[in-house]
Amino acid sequence: MVTASLSWRAAFRIAWREMGASRAKFWFVIVAVAVGVGSLDGVRGFSRSFRRILLRDARTLMAGDLSARVFTLPTAEQESVLDGLSKRGVARTWITETLTMASSEQAPDPLLISVKAVDPRAYPYYGTVRLDPPGPFQKALDAQSVVVSDDLLLRLNVKKGDPLRIGGQDFRIAGVVISEPDRMTGTLNVGPRVMITREGLDRTGLIGVGSRASERYLFRLPATGTPGVGEVRRILKRAFPEANLADYTETHPIITRGLDRATTFLSLIGLIALVIGALGVASAMHGHLQQRLDSIAVMKCIGGRSQQIVRIYTVQTLLLGLAGGLVGVALGTAVSSVFPRLLARYFTIEATPGMDLWPALEGILIACLITLLFTLPPLVGIRAVRPAHIFRRDMESERAARRRRWFSREARPALVGGGAILIGTGAVAATLTEGGLHLAMRTGLYFTLALAGGVAALAVCAWLLLRLVRWFVRSATPGLPGALRHGIANLYRPGNQAQAAVVALGVGVMFTLTVFLVEKALVRQIRGSAPPGMPNVFLMDIPSSQREVVTDLMRRQPGVENPPEVTSTVAARVAAVNGVPIDRLPLRDWGRRFLRTRSVTELGTPPVEMNILSGAWWRPGDREPQVCVTDETAHILNLMPGSTIDWNIWSHPLRTRVACVERTDSLRMAARFEFIFNPGQLEGLPAVYFGSARVRPNAVPALQRVMYQRFPTVTVINVADVMQIVEEVVDQISLVIHFISAFTILAGAVMVASSVAGTRFRRMREVVILKTLGATRRRIAGIFSVEFLVLGTVAGVMGSLLASGFAALVLKFLMQVEFRFDVISDSLAVALAALIAVAAGWLASYPILQRKPLEILRDE
């Protein structure tokens, strides 16, 4: 008997006994929560492990105490600052990274490689370069030898000791690089890697005035501790305002920024999976409470208060969330161990194995909170249970009962519970966001709005599609088999959670398919980025003395369809915008590139593909310093026609007026420049030339071979090679996203199973009636299979249609990429959803068919 006061201990005992009587149903609930927690805990556990490694091995990962990256050679003033640090005991070494071509006797066709020039007597300050065969890095590398990555051996069919030709000079392959300490912090990791000495790089002649290369300085601080890292950093920041600085007291800023974004994005995917699991908890709890209405009514009749009964089922909900969280933590540990394998190509570090306490505790707390939030409506609904209504429910139509629930005063607490769900999940999303309070609050707000709008849209779509199926069956009743009619009618069984199950599985299909469609569209755009007439071959670092000769040679080569376009570039740095120094502008993320040196050019006439969005192109002979900027640049720097930009070009100050804002949607050379000057402003300044041409695809290898033989320092890039590299990067990123997104589909499948398990009691009664009337197991199995198949098909259709819509919005409005409806991918998604629904439904329903009618009737 329920007493006047019910302690939490007593509530726990009652809740535990009830859970023991419904184990099958609650096992699905626990698994649903565990899937979401597992993905969430796995992502955040790996992120924390990765971050600890970055801090613990910061010196090794950057091969020094401090690094500074610039993209131009230092000026005389900057050299004096570096020499001053050397006199104070700060050692430094210089690393240059660039792209060029290489060939071998076995494979004369040139191969695009990334070159890293180091001084083996100093590099690395921390860590070691591991070689195969093993040996000291300082002895393996000299002015006549190089060490290479293993993929170069395969691509050029060479082995250790064979000659390798770079920049017209022969080098001996001294070994294969197994690992290098600062690989993650390097740049230009395109194509096979080659490490060379500074003397060897000078032999090749690859680096000249204005050459496109990344310059990195590594510093080792004196053992005495003076000057300290903070002082050295401040000195370098003043001398190299455009440099990317990093030191051992922090994680590398570029890696950390990318890690923060990836962690937030993947954590939100995990939260979506957890929300779907919480929907399963709410669905199961709703079905459970529907079965316990008689018990609740009896408890109220003998004096039990709503508050006491709510306490019992609140404890039950928290137990489910806790159990799901614990199982999810174990799953998350396994997930976090998979991430290093998925990223092994780019991150040659090993995450610390084992369970991370804080992400585990965070996952358990979030699991309990989310499950409690999503079960608030059915829990609050206990207060609305009236014994008289329960005992008279068989005399009341289902429609009338539904109308009474929705329009009565008792429905208000449920609406308040819905608001609590939105606020609570938004707060959780904010706590999972890396990058500051403002970003966290914005992410939480967006996630709340997206959750409310998305679930509402999915619920409406599910309701419409289910209604459409029901209308179709009713209108075509005479010609449909009985199993089909009965199976579809089961979707509308009293207490069935078909709509919630469709929404959950549809979310998984929608999210995963959206990622797939966006990735496929991006790759398709890369492949089609060189339409007829557009350049598909680019030439880098053409010396000014060889400009005319290279152009003539290109023009004479067979397969060159259009005259080559050659453009000069000059290294320039923005000093101020509208009188405000560039370092005082609120530049964030990718906009911070304007703090560094930029490549600019000058043109007399606008290219045909250029669209002037505002302002006007300069007139011929106009000598006033003017510049035309891209629309993205204008947006970031807040520029418009008439704005002023102050420049520092090789220590030469220049003020220009913004004449126009343009957009060039093509692969012409003009499209790669953010700033285009009018003629006469860059005369006499050190320049390097870039070229482009349209060449028949089958003639590109011969062109590369001829250009490499005549001009070995000129890099010839085939768009197809770049496309392959970009596709590989996209594939690696999408692999990680698909891995985590798959948890949303798995959560949706468990939600379907949970929904079926929640109607187990009604299904048993149905099976008893059908068997009593003579139905065979095969007939009943057909009815259930139709029900699950229709449910999965509806979820697949809804998810695929919404995925196509979301992918179209993302591609068209955020990425300006053409979207094409993919019938094959959508059809496969529908088929996959149907199969998952059938498998999940039968996993929960199969034991019911084994029960005998007399056994069930005796239980009643």
Side-chain angles (χ1 to χ4, degrees):
M1 177 177 178
V2 180
T3 59
S5 62
L6 183 71
S7 66
W8 284 102
R9 184 177 180 182
F12 175 82
R13 289 201 304 269
I14 297 173
W16 184 259
R17 289 171 184 167
E18 278 207 359
M19 289 178 65
S22 307
R23 291 177 183 174
K25 173 173 55 184
F26 288 129
W27 268 117
F28 288 112
V29 170
I30 292 172
V31 173
V33 175
V35 168
V37 173
S39 61
L40 185 63
D41 179 64
V43 169
R44 302 187 71 76
F46 173 75
S47 176
R48 279 174 54 87
S49 175
F50 195 4
R51 209 178 298 268
R52 282 198 304 270
I53 293 172
L54 291 178
L55 286 172
R56 184 191 65 200
D57 301 330
R59 284 186 170 98
T60 301
L61 291 175
M62 70 174 60
D65 290 315
L66 190 144
S67 71
R69 181 188 306 284
V70 293
F71 291 89
T72 58
L73 296 176
T75 62
E77 293 81 1
Q78 292 170 334
E79 283 284 3
S80 65
V81 172
L82 295 176
D83 292 339
L85 289 174
S86 298
K87 294 176 181 179
R88 299 180 63 183
V90 178
R92 78 173 186 271
T93 186
W94 178 22
I95 297 173
T96 299
E97 293 171 298
T98 188
L99 299 176
T100 189
M101 312 295 288
S103 65
S104 66
E105 295 178 355
Q106 295 83 349
D109 288 341
L111 174 69
L112 181 67
I113 63 171
S114 59
V115 175
K116 179 178 180 180
V118 301
D119 180 0
R121 295 166 297 184
Y123 170 88
Y125 287 129
Y126 301 97
T128 59
V129 179
R130 295 174 53 209
L131 301 176
D132 181 24
F137 178 62
Q138 292 79 5
K139 293 183 178 179
L141 203 62
D142 56 38
Q144 307 298 324
S145 64
V146 295
V147 292
V148 302
S149 60
D150 55 357
D151 53 347
L152 184 137
L153 302 182
L154 297 174
R155 299 282 295 274
L156 292 181
N157 192 25
V158 292
K159 60 183 183 298
K160 178 182 176 296
D162 287 349
L164 181 70
R165 196 166 185 81
I166 305 174
Q169 304 296 319
D170 287 331
F171 294 86
R172 180 179 59 86
I173 299 177
V176 176
V177 179
I178 298 177
S179 66
E180 52 187 299
D182 57 339
R183 172 68 186 272
M184 286 190 302
T185 57
T187 60
L188 302 175
N189 293 322
V190 177
R193 304 265 291 170
V194 174
M195 296 184 70
I196 193 172
T197 62
R198 176 67 52 185
E199 294 79 10
L201 183 65
D202 292 340
R203 280 181 56 207
T204 64
L206 293 174
I207 304 300
V209 177
S211 296
R212 191 174 183 83
S214 169
E215 310 291 350
R216 182 156 50 100
Y217 293 95
L218 293 181
F219 299 89
R220 185 179 63 190
L221 302 182
T224 59
T226 55
V229 62
E231 181 182 355
V232 174
R233 186 174 183 131
R234 286 191 295 271
I235 293 172
L236 292 174
K237 187 62 179 177
R238 287 194 299 267
F240 299 88
E242 76 278 11
N244 287 326
L245 299 176
D247 63 71
Y248 72 90
T249 64
E250 62 177 5
T251 59
H252 196 278
I254 296 177
I255 299 176
T256 303
R257 194 179 306 122
L259 181 63
D260 286 345
R261 293 174 179 172
T263 301
T264 299
F265 177 66
L266 296 177
S267 296
L268 293 179
I269 298 177
L271 180 58
I272 292 173
L274 181 56
V275 166
I276 296 174
L279 284 172
V281 176
S283 175
M285 188 60 67
H286 175 78
H288 180 60
L289 292 177
Q290 290 297 311
Q291 294 180 19
R292 307 299 298 175
L293 286 178
D294 289 336
S295 299
I296 294 173
V298 169
M299 283 191 286
K300 287 195 173 185
C301 286
I302 59 178
R305 297 195 300 270
S306 296
Q307 179 183 0
Q308 297 169 335
I309 301 172
V310 168
R311 178 175 294 184
I312 294 172
Y313 292 102
T314 299
V315 170
Q316 202 168 83
T317 298
L318 291 175
L319 287 174
L320 292 174
L322 178 61
L326 292 173
V327 176
V329 166
L331 177 62
T333 302
V335 170
S336 63
S337 66
V338 173
F339 271 100
R341 296 179 178 88
L342 294 175
L343 303 175
R345 179 167 184 175
Y346 301 101
F347 299 99
T348 55
I349 63 173
E350 295 182 1
T352 305
M355 183 181 66
D356 194 331
L357 183 60
W358 173 245
L361 180 61
E362 184 183 48
I364 293 173
L365 292 176
I366 291 176
C368 293
L369 175 61
I370 293 295
T371 52
L372 183 60
L373 285 173
F374 274 80
T375 51
L376 275 179
L379 288 177
V380 174
I382 293 176
R383 302 173 61 90
V385 173
R386 297 290 181 265
H389 290 159
I390 298 302
F391 297 140
R392 292 202 306 257
R393 67 179 180 270
D394 292 335
M395 303 173 60
E396 184 179 26
S397 68
E398 182 184 353
R399 181 176 298 180
R402 190 184 302 116
R403 186 184 301 114
R404 177 173 52 78
R405 288 196 302 267
W406 281 106
F407 296 99
S408 63
R409 182 174 297 179
E410 289 84 354
R412 295 176 185 174
L415 297 177
V416 174
I421 290 174
L422 295 177
I423 296 174
T425 51
V428 172
T431 61
L432 297 178
T433 302
E434 310 284 345
L437 180 61
H438 177 73
L439 180 60
M441 294 181 64
R442 186 175 61 183
T443 302
L445 176 62
Y446 288 166
F447 188 86
T448 301
L449 296 176
L451 178 65
V455 171
L458 289 167
V460 170
C461 290
W463 182 83
L464 288 174
L465 287 173
L466 289 174
R467 286 287 176 179
L468 182 62
V469 170
R470 189 176 191 180
W471 171 83
F472 171 75
V473 171
R474 287 182 174 179
S475 62
T477 297
L480 292 178
L484 180 60
R485 294 197 310 272
H486 198 154
I488 294 177
N490 276 358
L491 296 172
Y492 300 93
R493 178 193 294 108
N496 199 354
Q497 299 294 307
Q499 186 171 335
V502 168
V503 169
L505 185 57
V507 168
V509 174
M510 178 191 69
F511 195 85
T512 306
L513 185 59
T514 299
V515 173
F516 175 79
L517 292 176
V518 170
E519 173 208 351
K520 191 173 182 180
L522 289 176
V523 173
R524 184 174 61 246
Q525 188 205 30
I526 294 170
R527 287 176 174 166
S529 59
M534 291 295 103
N536 60 350
V537 172
F538 293 88
L539 288 77
M540 298 175 56
D541 296 336
I542 304 173
S544 57
S545 60
Q546 298 177 347
R547 173 191 175 186
E548 296 296 336
V549 182
V550 169
T551 303
D552 292 339
L553 180 61
M554 282 280 294
R555 190 179 294 112
R556 295 196 306 268
Q557 289 305 305
V560 178
E561 299 177 351
N562 297 322
E565 176 187 354
V566 179
T567 305
S568 65
T569 66
V570 173
R573 191 166 69 86
V574 178
V577 175
N578 292 322
V580 180
I582 187 69
D583 55 358
R584 295 185 182 178
L585 294 179
L587 300 177
R588 296 180 179 178
D589 300 329
W590 184 232
R592 294 183 61 84
R593 69 184 185 273
F594 293 108
L595 296 174
R596 301 190 293 269
T597 302
R598 314 304 300 162
S599 294
V600 301
T601 190
E602 60 181 20
L603 291 176
T605 58
V608 177
E609 298 81 10
M610 179 179 289
N611 297 317
I612 304 298
L613 304 180
S614 60
W617 194 263
W618 37 82
R619 295 185 299 272
D622 195 343
R623 304 299 296 177
E624 177 194 1
Q626 300 177 66
V627 66
C628 194
V629 302
T630 64
D631 55 342
E632 180 188 19
T633 301
H635 174 72
I636 295 174
L637 298 180
N638 194 24
L639 296 171
M640 62 184 65
S643 300
T644 61
I645 304 177
D646 292 321
W647 299 87
N648 186 341
I649 309 177
W650 291 94
S651 301
H652 171 66
L654 177 67
R655 169 167 289 188
T656 60
R657 178 180 61 85
V658 176
C660 59
V661 177
E662 55 88 10
R663 177 187 295 164
T664 305
D665 297 322
S666 76
L667 287 178
R668 298 292 186 189
M669 290 301 296
R672 66 180 298 275
F673 295 105
E674 297 160 320
F675 303 95
I676 301 176
F677 286 70
N678 61 322
Q681 309 307 319
L682 306 178
E683 290 181 0
L685 296 174
V688 67
Y689 291 84
F690 292 81
S692 63
R694 179 70 186 183
V695 184
R696 286 200 309 269
N698 58 359
V700 173
L703 172 66
Q704 287 182 310
R705 190 182 308 117
V706 171
M707 291 296 298
Y708 182 70
Q709 292 171 351
R710 291 284 304 277
F711 306 101
T713 62
V714 176
T715 302
V716 182
I717 300 178
N718 185 1
V719 169
D721 296 335
V722 177
M723 178 188 69
Q724 181 181 359
I725 294 168
V726 175
E727 284 188 23
E728 291 176 356
V729 174
V730 172
D731 287 342
Q732 292 294 319
I733 295 173
S734 63
L735 179 63
V736 176
I737 297 176
H738 285 151
F739 177 71
I740 295 299
S741 299
F743 281 87
T744 60
I745 290 184
L746 181 59
V750 177
M751 169 62 183
V752 173
S754 177
S755 175
V756 173
T759 60
R760 185 168 179 268
F761 178 72
R762 295 180 184 273
R763 289 179 185 274
M764 286 192 300
R765 296 187 63 183
E766 180 183 354
V767 169
V768 167
I769 295 173
L770 291 175
K771 284 186 175 182
T772 303
L773 294 177
T776 62
R777 288 186 181 180
R778 182 176 180 180
R779 176 82 171 184
I780 299 172
I783 293 172
F784 283 177
S785 296
V786 168
E787 177 186 354
F788 304 144
L789 187 63
V790 172
L791 189 148
T793 302
V794 170
V797 170
M798 178 187 68
S800 61
L801 290 177
L802 290 176
S804 297
F806 285 135
L809 290 175
V810 170
L811 291 170
K812 190 169 184 179
F813 294 103
L814 296 183
M815 301 182 179
Q816 286 78 48
V817 176
E818 179 186 1
F819 172 77
R820 299 177 187 173
F821 187 75
D822 193 335
V823 178
I824 296 178
S825 299
D826 285 8
S827 301
L828 289 176
V830 173
L832 178 63
L835 290 175
I836 290 175
V838 171
W842 271 113
L843 183 64
S845 296
Y846 181 75
I848 297 175
L849 289 181
Q850 309 305 313
R851 303 289 297 275
K852 298 184 180 299
L854 189 59
E855 177 186 353
I856 297 174
L857 292 174
R858 282 175 176 171
D859 289 341
E860 294 196 11

